[in-house]
Coordinates of all heavy atoms in Angstrom, one line a residue:
M1 N 0.8 -1.2 0.0 CA 0.0 0.0 0.0 C 0.8 1.2 0.0 O 0.3 2.3 0.1 CB -1.0 0.0 1.2 CG -2.2 -0.8 1.1 SD -3.5 0.4 1.3 CE -4.7 -0.7 0.9
G2 N 2.0 1.3 -0.2 CA 3.0 2.3 -0.1 C 2.7 3.4 -1.1 O 1.6 3.9 -1.2
G3 N 3.7 3.9 -1.7 CA 3.6 5.0 -2.6 C 2.9 4.7 -3.9 O 2.3 3.6 -4.1
L4 N 2.8 5.7 -4.8 CA 2.1 5.6 -6.1 C 3.0 4.7 -7.0 O 4.1 4.9 -7.3 CB 1.9 6.9 -6.7 CG 0.9 7.8 -5.9 CD1 0.8 9.3 -6.5 CD2 -0.4 7.2 -5.7
Q5 N 2.2 3.8 -7.6 CA 2.9 3.0 -8.7 C 2.9 3.8 -10.1 O 2.1 4.7 -10.1 CB 2.1 1.6 -8.7 CG 1.8 0.9 -7.6 CD 3.1 0.1 -7.2 OE1 3.9 -0.2 -8.2 NE2 3.3 -0.1 -5.9
P6 N 3.7 3.3 -10.8 CA 3.8 4.0 -12.2 C 2.4 4.0 -12.9 O 2.1 5.1 -13.6 CB 4.7 3.1 -13.1 CG 5.6 2.5 -12.0 CD 4.7 2.2 -10.9
W7 N 1.5 3.1 -12.8 CA 0.3 3.1 -13.4 C -0.7 4.0 -12.8 O -1.6 4.6 -13.4 CB -0.4 1.7 -13.6 CG -0.7 1.1 -12.3 CD1 0.2 0.3 -11.5 CD2 -1.8 1.0 -11.5 NE1 -0.4 -0.2 -10.4 CE2 -1.7 0.2 -10.4 CE3 -3.1 1.5 -11.8 CZ2 -2.8 0.0 -9.5 CZ3 -4.2 1.4 -11.0 CH2 -3.9 0.4 -9.8
H8 N -0.4 4.3 -11.4 CA -1.2 5.4 -10.8 C -0.9 6.7 -11.4 O -1.8 7.6 -11.6 CB -0.9 5.4 -9.3 CG -1.3 4.3 -8.4 ND1 -0.4 3.4 -7.8 CD2 -2.7 3.8 -8.4 CE1 -1.2 2.6 -7.2 NE2 -2.5 2.7 -7.4
W9 N 0.4 7.0 -11.8 CA 0.8 8.2 -12.4 C 0.2 8.4 -13.7 O -0.2 9.4 -14.1 CB 2.3 8.4 -12.4 CG 2.9 8.6 -11.1 CD1 3.6 7.9 -10.4 CD2 2.8 9.9 -10.3 NE1 4.0 8.4 -9.1 CE2 3.5 9.7 -9.1 CE3 2.2 11.1 -10.6 CZ2 3.5 10.7 -8.1 CZ3 2.3 12.0 -9.5 CH2 3.0 12.0 -8.4
I10 N 0.1 7.3 -14.5 CA -0.6 7.4 -15.8 C -2.0 7.7 -15.7 O -2.5 8.6 -16.5 CB -0.3 6.1 -16.6 CG1 1.2 5.8 -16.9 CG2 -1.2 5.9 -17.8 CD1 1.5 4.4 -17.4
I11 N -2.7 7.2 -14.7 CA -4.0 7.6 -14.6 C -4.2 9.0 -14.2 O -5.1 9.7 -14.7 CB -4.7 6.6 -13.4 CG1 -4.8 5.2 -14.1 CG2 -6.1 7.1 -13.0 CD1 -5.2 4.1 -13.0
V12 N -3.4 9.5 -13.2 CA -3.5 10.9 -12.7 C -3.3 11.8 -14.0 O -4.0 12.8 -14.2 CB -2.4 11.1 -11.6 CG1 -2.3 12.6 -11.5 CG2 -2.8 10.4 -10.4
I13 N -2.2 11.5 -14.9 CA -1.9 12.4 -16.0 C -3.1 12.3 -17.0 O -3.5 13.3 -17.6 CB -0.6 11.9 -16.6 CG1 0.7 12.2 -15.6 CG2 -0.4 12.5 -17.9 CD1 1.9 11.6 -16.1
A14 N -3.6 11.2 -17.1 CA -4.8 11.0 -18.2 C -6.0 11.8 -17.6 O -6.7 12.5 -18.4 CB -5.2 9.6 -18.2
V15 N -6.2 11.9 -16.3 CA -7.3 12.6 -15.8 C -7.2 14.1 -15.9 O -7.9 14.9 -16.4 CB -7.5 12.3 -14.3 CG1 -8.4 13.3 -13.7 CG2 -8.1 10.9 -14.0
F16 N -5.8 14.6 -15.7 CA -5.6 16.0 -15.9 C -5.6 16.5 -17.4 O -6.3 17.4 -17.7 CB -4.1 16.3 -15.5 CG -4.0 16.5 -14.0 CD1 -3.3 15.8 -13.3 CD2 -4.4 17.8 -13.5 CE1 -3.2 15.9 -11.9 CE2 -4.3 18.1 -12.2 CZ -3.7 17.2 -11.3
V17 N -5.3 15.5 -18.3 CA -5.4 15.8 -19.8 C -6.9 15.9 -20.1 O -7.4 16.8 -20.9 CB -4.6 14.8 -20.6 CG1 -5.0 15.0 -22.1 CG2 -3.2 14.9 -20.4
L18 N -7.7 15.1 -19.6 CA -9.0 14.9 -19.8 C -9.8 16.2 -19.4 O -10.8 16.8 -20.0 CB -9.7 13.7 -19.3 CG -9.5 12.4 -20.1 CD1 -10.1 11.2 -19.4 CD2 -10.0 12.5 -21.6
L19 N -9.5 16.6 -18.0 CA -10.1 17.8 -17.5 C -9.7 19.1 -18.0 O -10.6 20.0 -18.3 CB -9.7 17.8 -15.8 CG -10.4 16.7 -15.0 CD1 -9.9 16.8 -13.6 CD2 -11.9 16.9 -15.1
F20 N -8.3 19.4 -18.3 CA -7.9 20.6 -18.6 C -7.7 20.7 -20.2 O -7.6 21.7 -20.7 CB -6.6 20.9 -17.8 CG -6.9 21.0 -16.4 CD1 -6.4 20.2 -15.5 CD2 -7.6 22.1 -15.8 CE1 -6.6 20.2 -14.1 CE2 -7.9 22.2 -14.5 CZ -7.4 21.2 -13.7
G21 N -7.6 19.6 -20.8 CA -7.1 19.6 -22.3 C -5.6 19.7 -22.4 O -4.9 20.3 -21.5
A22 N -5.1 19.2 -23.5 CA -3.6 19.2 -23.8 C -3.1 20.6 -24.1 O -2.0 20.9 -23.9 CB -3.4 18.3 -24.8
K23 N -4.0 21.5 -24.4 CA -3.6 22.8 -24.9 C -3.4 23.7 -23.7 O -2.3 24.6 -23.6 CB -4.7 23.5 -25.8 CG -4.2 24.9 -26.3 CD -5.2 25.4 -27.0 CE -5.0 26.8 -27.6 NZ -6.0 27.4 -28.4
K24 N -4.0 23.6 -22.5 CA -4.0 24.4 -21.3 C -2.9 24.0 -20.3 O -2.4 24.8 -19.6 CB -5.3 24.4 -20.6 CG -6.3 25.3 -21.5 CD -7.5 25.6 -20.7 CE -8.6 26.3 -21.5 NZ -9.8 26.5 -20.7
L25 N -2.5 22.6 -20.4 CA -1.6 22.1 -19.5 C -0.2 22.6 -19.4 O 0.4 23.1 -18.5 CB -1.4 20.6 -19.7 CG -2.7 19.8 -19.0 CD1 -2.5 18.3 -19.3 CD2 -2.7 20.0 -17.5
P26 N 0.4 23.1 -20.7 CA 1.7 23.7 -20.6 C 1.7 25.1 -20.1 O 2.5 25.5 -19.4 CB 2.1 23.8 -22.2 CG 1.3 22.6 -22.8 CD 0.1 22.5 -22.0
D27 N 0.6 25.7 -20.4 CA 0.4 27.1 -19.7 C 0.1 27.1 -18.3 O 0.8 27.9 -17.7 CB -0.9 27.9 -20.4 CG -0.7 28.2 -21.9 OD1 0.5 28.2 -22.3 OD2 -1.7 28.3 -22.6
A28 N -0.5 26.1 -17.9 CA -0.7 25.9 -16.4 C 0.6 25.6 -15.7 O 1.0 26.1 -14.7 CB -1.9 24.8 -16.1
A29 N 1.4 24.7 -16.3 CA 2.7 24.3 -15.7 C 3.6 25.5 -15.8 O 4.4 25.7 -14.9 CB 3.2 23.1 -16.6
R30 N 3.5 26.4 -16.8 CA 4.4 27.5 -16.9 C 4.0 28.5 -15.8 O 4.8 29.1 -15.1 CB 4.3 28.1 -18.4 CG 5.4 29.2 -18.6 CD 5.2 29.7 -20.0 NE 5.4 28.7 -20.9 CZ 4.3 28.2 -21.8 NH1 3.2 28.8 -21.9 NH2 4.5 27.3 -22.6
S31 N 2.9 28.7 -15.6 CA 2.2 29.7 -14.6 C 2.6 29.1 -13.2 O 3.1 29.9 -12.3 CB 0.8 29.9 -14.7 OG 0.4 30.4 -15.9
L32 N 2.6 27.8 -13.0 CA 2.9 27.2 -11.7 C 4.4 27.4 -11.4 O 4.8 27.9 -10.2 CB 2.6 25.8 -11.6 CG 2.9 25.0 -10.3 CD1 2.1 25.6 -9.3 CD2 2.5 23.5 -10.6
G33 N 5.2 27.2 -12.5 CA 6.7 27.4 -12.3 C 7.1 28.8 -12.0 O 7.8 29.1 -11.1
Q34 N 6.5 29.8 -12.6 CA 6.6 31.2 -12.6 C 6.3 31.6 -11.0 O 6.9 32.2 -10.4 CB 5.9 32.1 -13.5 CG 6.2 33.6 -13.4 CD 5.5 34.3 -14.4 OE1 4.7 33.8 -15.2 NE2 5.8 35.6 -14.6
S35 N 5.1 31.1 -10.5 CA 4.7 31.3 -9.3 C 5.6 30.8 -8.2 O 5.9 31.4 -7.0 CB 3.3 30.8 -9.0 OG 2.3 31.3 -9.9
M36 N 6.2 29.6 -8.4 CA 7.1 29.1 -7.5 C 8.4 29.8 -7.4 O 9.1 30.0 -6.4 CB 7.4 27.6 -7.9 CG 6.1 26.6 -7.6 SD 5.7 26.5 -6.1 CE 7.1 25.9 -5.2
R37 N 8.8 30.3 -8.6 CA 10.0 31.2 -8.6 C 9.8 32.5 -7.8 O 10.7 32.9 -7.1 CB 10.4 31.5 -10.1 CG 11.2 30.5 -10.7 CD 11.8 30.8 -12.1 NE 10.8 31.2 -13.0 CZ 10.1 30.4 -14.0 NH1 10.4 29.2 -13.9 NH2 9.3 30.9 -14.6
I38 N 8.7 33.1 -7.9 CA 8.4 34.4 -7.3 C 8.3 34.0 -5.7 O 8.9 34.7 -5.0 CB 7.1 34.9 -7.8 CG1 7.2 35.5 -9.2 CG2 6.7 36.1 -6.8 CD1 5.8 35.9 -9.8
F39 N 7.6 32.9 -5.4 CA 7.6 32.5 -4.0 C 9.0 32.3 -3.4 O 9.3 32.8 -2.3 CB 6.6 31.3 -3.9 CG 6.6 30.8 -2.5 CD1 5.7 31.5 -1.6 CD2 7.2 29.8 -2.0 CE1 5.6 31.1 -0.3 CE2 7.1 29.3 -0.8 CZ 6.3 29.9 0.1
K40 N 9.8 31.5 -4.2 CA 11.1 31.2 -3.7 C 12.0 32.6 -3.4 O 12.6 32.8 -2.5 CB 11.8 30.3 -4.6 CG 13.1 29.9 -4.3 CD 13.9 28.9 -5.3 CE 15.1 28.3 -4.9 NZ 15.7 27.5 -5.9
S41 N 11.9 33.5 -4.4 CA 12.7 34.8 -4.3 C 12.1 35.5 -3.1 O 12.9 36.3 -2.4 CB 12.5 35.6 -5.6 OG 11.2 36.1 -5.7
E42 N 10.7 35.5 -2.9 CA 10.1 36.2 -1.8 C 10.7 35.7 -0.4 O 10.9 36.4 0.5 CB 8.6 36.3 -1.9 CG 8.2 37.2 -2.9 CD 8.5 38.7 -2.8 OE1 8.5 39.2 -1.6 OE2 8.6 39.3 -3.9
V43 N 10.7 34.4 -0.3 CA 11.2 33.8 0.9 C 12.7 34.0 1.2 O 13.0 34.3 2.3 CB 11.0 32.2 0.8 CG1 11.7 31.5 1.9 CG2 9.4 31.8 0.8
K44 N 13.4 34.0 0.1 CA 14.9 34.4 0.3 C 15.0 35.8 0.7 O 15.9 36.0 1.4 CB 15.5 34.1 -1.1 CG 17.0 34.1 -1.0 CD 17.7 34.0 -2.4 CE 17.4 32.6 -2.9 NZ 18.2 32.3 -4.1
E45 N 14.2 36.7 0.2 CA 14.2 38.1 0.6 C 13.9 38.3 2.1 O 14.6 39.1 2.7 CB 13.4 38.9 -0.4 CG 13.5 40.4 -0.1 CD 12.6 41.2 -1.0 OE1 12.5 40.8 -2.2 OE2 12.2 42.3 -0.7
M46 N 12.9 37.6 2.4 CA 12.3 37.7 3.8 C 13.5 37.2 4.8 O 13.8 37.7 5.9 CB 11.1 36.9 4.0 CG 9.8 37.6 3.5 SD 8.4 36.7 3.6 CE 8.4 36.3 5.4
K47 N 14.2 36.0 4.3 CA 15.3 35.5 5.3 C 16.4 36.5 5.1 O 17.1 36.7 6.4 CB 15.8 34.2 4.7 CG 14.8 33.0 5.0 CD 15.4 31.9 4.4 CE 14.5 30.7 4.7 NZ 14.9 29.4 4.2
S48 N 16.8 37.2 4.2 CA 17.9 38.3 4.2 C 17.5 39.4 5.0 O 18.3 40.0 5.7 CB 18.2 38.5 2.8 OG 17.3 39.3 2.2
D49 N 16.2 39.8 5.0 CA 15.8 40.9 5.9 C 15.8 40.7 7.2 O 16.0 41.4 8.1 CB 14.3 41.3 5.3 CG 14.2 42.1 4.1 OD1 15.4 42.3 3.5 OD2 13.2 42.2 3.5
A50 N 15.6 39.4 7.6 CA 15.4 38.9 9.1 C 16.8 39.0 9.8 O 17.0 39.2 10.9 CB 14.7 37.6 9.1
K51 N 17.8 38.7 9.0 CA 19.2 38.5 9.5 C 19.7 39.9 10.2 O 20.2 39.9 11.2 CB 20.2 38.1 8.5 CG 20.0 36.6 8.3 CD 21.0 36.1 7.2 CE 20.6 34.5 6.9 NZ 21.7 34.1 5.9
P52 N 19.7 41.0 9.5 CA 20.1 42.3 10.2 C 19.4 42.6 11.4 O 19.9 43.2 12.2 CB 19.8 43.3 9.1 CG 19.9 42.7 7.8 CD 19.2 41.3 8.1
E53 N 18.1 42.3 11.4 CA 17.4 42.5 12.7 C 17.9 41.8 13.9 O 18.0 42.3 15.0 CB 16.0 42.3 12.5 CG 15.1 43.2 11.6 CD 13.8 42.9 11.4 OE1 13.2 41.9 12.1 OE2 13.2 43.4 10.4
A54 N 18.3 40.6 13.7 CA 18.9 39.7 14.8 C 20.2 40.3 15.2 O 20.5 40.2 16.4 CB 19.0 38.4 14.3
E55 N 21.0 40.9 14.4 CA 22.3 41.5 14.7 C 22.2 42.9 15.4 O 23.2 43.2 16.1 CB 23.1 41.6 13.5 CG 23.4 40.1 12.7 CD 24.2 40.4 11.4 OE1 24.4 41.5 11.2 OE2 24.4 39.4 10.8
K56 N 21.1 43.5 15.3 CA 21.0 44.9 16.0 C 20.8 44.7 17.5 O 20.1 43.7 17.9 CB 19.8 45.6 15.4 CG 19.9 46.0 14.1 CD 18.6 46.8 13.6 CE 18.8 47.2 12.2 NZ 17.4 47.7 11.6
P57 N 21.4 45.7 18.3 CA 21.2 45.4 19.6 C 19.7 45.9 20.0 O 19.2 46.7 19.4 CB 22.2 46.5 20.3 CG 22.5 47.4 19.1 CD 22.4 46.6 17.9
A58 N 19.2 45.2 21.0 CA 17.9 45.7 21.5 C 17.8 46.8 22.2 O 18.6 47.3 22.8 CB 17.4 44.5 22.4
T59 N 16.8 47.7 21.7 CA 16.6 49.0 22.3 C 15.5 48.8 23.5 O 14.6 48.1 23.3 CB 16.2 50.0 21.2 OG1 14.9 49.6 20.7 CG2 17.2 50.3 20.2
P60 N 15.8 49.6 24.6 CA 15.0 49.4 25.6 C 13.6 50.1 25.3 O 13.5 51.1 24.5 CB 15.6 50.2 26.8 CG 16.6 51.1 26.2 CD 17.0 50.3 24.9
I61 N 12.6 49.7 25.9 CA 11.2 50.3 25.8 C 11.2 51.5 26.5 O 11.9 51.8 27.4 CB 10.1 49.2 26.0 CG1 10.1 48.9 27.4 CG2 10.1 48.1 25.1 CD1 9.1 47.9 27.9
A62 N 10.2 52.3 26.2 CA 10.1 53.7 26.8 C 10.1 53.5 28.4 O 10.6 54.4 29.0 CB 8.9 54.3 26.3
S63 N 9.4 52.6 29.0 CA 9.3 52.5 30.4 C 10.6 52.1 31.0 O 10.8 52.4 32.2 CB 8.2 51.5 30.8 OG 8.7 50.2 30.3
E64 N 11.7 51.7 30.3 CA 13.0 51.3 30.8 C 13.8 52.3 30.7 O 15.0 52.3 31.2 CB 13.5 50.0 30.1 CG 12.6 48.7 30.4 CD 13.1 47.5 29.6 OE1 13.8 47.7 28.7 OE2 12.6 46.5 30.0
R65 N 13.7 53.4 29.8 CA 14.6 54.4 29.6 C 14.7 55.4 30.7 O 13.6 55.9 31.2 CB 14.3 55.3 28.3 CG 14.3 54.3 27.1 CD 14.0 55.1 25.8 NE 14.1 54.3 24.7 CZ 13.5 54.6 23.6 NH1 12.6 55.5 23.5 NH2 13.5 53.7 22.6
V66 N 15.9 55.6 31.2 CA 16.0 56.5 32.4 C 16.2 57.9 32.0 O 15.6 58.8 32.4 CB 17.2 56.2 33.2 CG1 17.5 57.0 34.5 CG2 17.0 54.6 33.6
D67 N 16.9 58.2 30.9 CA 17.3 59.5 30.4 C 16.2 60.2 29.5 O 16.2 61.4 29.3 CB 18.7 59.5 29.6 CG 18.6 58.6 28.4 OD1 17.8 57.7 28.3 OD2 19.4 58.9 27.5
A68 N 15.2 59.4 29.1 CA 14.2 59.9 28.2 C 13.1 60.7 29.0 O 12.6 60.1 29.9 CB 13.6 59.0 27.3
P69 N 12.9 62.0 28.7 CA 11.9 62.7 29.4 C 10.4 62.2 28.9 O 10.4 61.7 27.7 CB 12.0 64.2 28.9 CG 12.8 64.0 27.6 CD 13.6 62.8 27.8
E70 N 9.4 62.3 29.8 CA 8.1 61.9 29.4 C 7.5 63.0 28.3 O 7.8 64.0 28.5 CB 7.2 61.9 30.6 CG 7.8 60.8 31.6 CD 6.6 60.4 32.5 OE1 5.5 60.7 32.2 OE2 6.9 59.9 33.6
P71 N 6.9 62.3 27.4 CA 6.4 63.2 26.3 C 5.4 64.2 26.8 O 4.4 63.7 27.6 CB 5.8 62.2 25.2 CG 5.5 60.9 26.1 CD 6.6 60.9 27.1
Q72 N 5.3 65.4 26.4 CA 4.3 66.3 26.7 C 3.2 66.4 25.8 O 3.3 66.2 24.6 CB 4.9 67.7 26.7 CG 6.0 68.0 27.7 CD 5.5 67.9 29.1 OE1 4.4 68.3 29.4 NE2 6.4 67.4 30.0
A73 N 2.0 66.4 26.2 CA 0.8 66.4 25.4 C 0.7 67.8 24.8 O 0.4 68.7 25.4 CB -0.5 66.1 26.1
E74 N 0.9 67.9 23.5 CA 0.7 69.2 22.7 C -0.6 69.1 21.9 O -0.9 68.0 21.4 CB 1.9 69.4 21.7 CG 3.2 69.6 22.5 CD 4.2 69.9 21.6 OE1 4.1 70.4 20.5 OE2 5.4 69.6 21.9
P75 N -1.3 70.3 21.7 CA -2.4 70.3 21.1 C -2.1 70.1 19.5 O -1.1 70.6 18.9 CB -3.1 71.5 21.2 CG -2.1 72.4 21.7 CD -1.0 71.6 22.4
T76 N -2.8 69.2 18.8 CA -2.6 68.9 17.3 C -3.2 70.1 16.6 O -2.7 70.4 15.5 CB -3.1 67.6 17.0 OG1 -4.5 67.5 17.2 CG2 -2.3 66.5 17.7
D77 N -4.3 70.6 17.0 CA -4.9 71.6 16.2 C -4.4 73.0 16.7 O -4.8 73.5 17.7 CB -6.5 71.7 16.4 CG -7.3 72.4 15.4 OD1 -6.6 73.0 14.4 OD2 -8.4 72.6 15.6
K78 N -3.6 73.7 15.8 CA -3.1 75.1 16.2 C -3.8 76.2 15.6 O -3.2 77.3 15.5 CB -1.6 75.0 15.8 CG -0.8 74.0 16.5 CD 0.6 74.1 16.3 CE 1.3 73.0 17.1 NZ 2.8 73.2 17.3
R79 N -5.0 76.1 15.0 CA -5.8 77.1 14.6 C -6.4 77.8 15.8 O -6.7 77.5 16.8 CB -6.9 76.6 13.7 CG -6.4 76.0 12.4 CD -7.6 75.5 11.6 NE -8.1 74.3 12.3 CZ -9.3 73.9 12.0 NH1 -9.9 74.3 11.0 NH2 -9.7 72.8 12.6
P80 N -6.5 79.3 15.5 CA -7.0 80.1 16.7 C -8.4 79.8 16.8 O -9.2 79.5 15.7 CB -6.8 81.6 16.2 CG -6.4 81.5 14.7 CD -5.9 80.0 14.5
A81 N -9.0 79.9 18.0 CA -10.3 79.6 18.2 C -11.4 80.7 17.8 O -11.0 81.8 17.7 CB -10.6 79.3 19.7

């Protein structure tokens, strides 16, 4: 009961040809390959972006900073009343 036998693959391929037609299968395979290349490049870019963050020293949050003054609430609307 293990993996797929060669005749299983023949049946799967025949079903795909019957469902999608021989004309659309190369286009579908080309689109799938292009999507996989885009996905692979995006994953590689995400991994390269994550590395510099790990090397940066951690900055303390506002509650841990001793030298930082507390922010003053300033009015955002400076038009005269």
Side-chain angles (χ1 to χ4, degrees):
M1 277 248 174
L4 294 175
Q5 301 286 328
W7 62 275
H8 289 122
W9 286 109
I10 293 171
I11 293 173
V12 169
I13 291 170
V15 168
F16 274 109
V17 170
L18 289 174
L19 287 176
F20 299 108
K23 184 177 180 184
K24 291 186 180 180
L25 283 177
D27 293 335
R30 192 175 302 116
S31 298
L32 181 64
Q34 184 178 10
S35 299
M36 291 302 292
R37 280 191 298 272
I38 292 170
F39 179 74
K40 186 177 178 181
S41 68
E42 290 295 326
V43 168
K44 190 182 293 186
E45 184 177 330
M46 286 175 55
K47 285 182 181 179
S48 68
D49 287 347
K51 286 182 182 178
E53 291 177 8
E55 296 172 2
K56 292 180 183 177
T59 57
I61 57 175
S63 62
E64 294 177 347
R65 294 182 184 153
V66 178
D67 59 337
E70 295 201 16
Q72 299 290 330
E74 293 185 24
T76 55
D77 191 11
K78 297 191 179 193
R79 292 181 287 171

